Amino acid sequence: MVSGPHPAPGEPQGEIGTAWSVPRGGPPPPAPPPPPAPPDGGGAALAAVLMLCSGLLAVLQGVAAVAGDDVYARTGAYAYRLGLAGWGWIHLTLGALLALAGAGVLRGVARARTAGVVLAGLGLVAQFLFLPYEPLWSVVVMGLDLFVIRALVVAPRHRG
């Protein structure tokens, strides 16, 4: 073995086995730490995605009602004398606003959470009043609205 500052070519460098286990240039840099988990466990993100989907579906529901499509059942005497086109405009407006609030929650805008709670509450009332036209769909959307409200209202849990 040649002693000196530089070993001869072909001679092992360092301890036995290190030339094979460590790539040239040294060990690789450590992996970056994973992104922190949302403090609420991702409930707000799921609520935001549901708000986007529910808003889009409400817009489609409103368009079908405004167009006078035969999708909805015709009711006889109903206590709330708003025509199908009126309900369509309500669903169209609430759906567009709910989708915008959902996009805001995904972006982390604090006021979008409040707007989402208010709009989901209004959507809950609108679906309740829309029950005679589409009962099963209204009950499903009311359940989604309740989940959205709960997910946006629950305070984030602090770990530590």
Side-chain angles (χ1 to χ4, degrees):
M1 189 180 264
V2 178
S3 62
H6 301 291
E11 291 289 324
Q13 300 175 7
E15 294 181 21
I16 295 178
T18 58
W20 298 104
S21 61
V22 178
R24 290 181 185 231
D40 63 352
L46 179 60
V49 171
L50 285 176
M51 288 167 62
L52 284 168
C53 294
S54 179
L56 177 65
L57 290 173
V59 166
L60 295 175
Q61 184 180 14
V63 167
V66 168
D69 201 357
D70 291 334
V71 173
Y72 300 111
R74 302 287 179 206
T75 59
Y78 182 48
Y80 303 101
R81 302 233 175 203
L82 189 58
L84 193 56
W87 284 116
W89 284 110
I90 289 172
H91 285 293
L92 190 77
T93 305
L94 280 176
L97 292 174
L98 189 63
L100 286 174
V105 171
L106 275 179
R107 291 183 174 259
V109 178
R111 291 184 183 186
R113 288 177 75 109
T114 305
V117 170
V118 170
L119 290 169
L122 289 173
L124 182 71
V125 171
Q127 290 296 336
F128 179 76
L129 296 174
F130 200 68
L131 272 170
Y133 295 102
E134 196 65 40
L136 182 62
W137 178 253
S138 292
V139 170
V140 169
V141 174
M142 286 166 55
L144 287 175
D145 286 339
L146 285 172
F147 175 78
V148 166
I149 291 170
R150 183 192 177 281
L152 292 177
V153 169
V154 170
R157 287 175 255 151
H158 298 288
R159 296 181 182 141

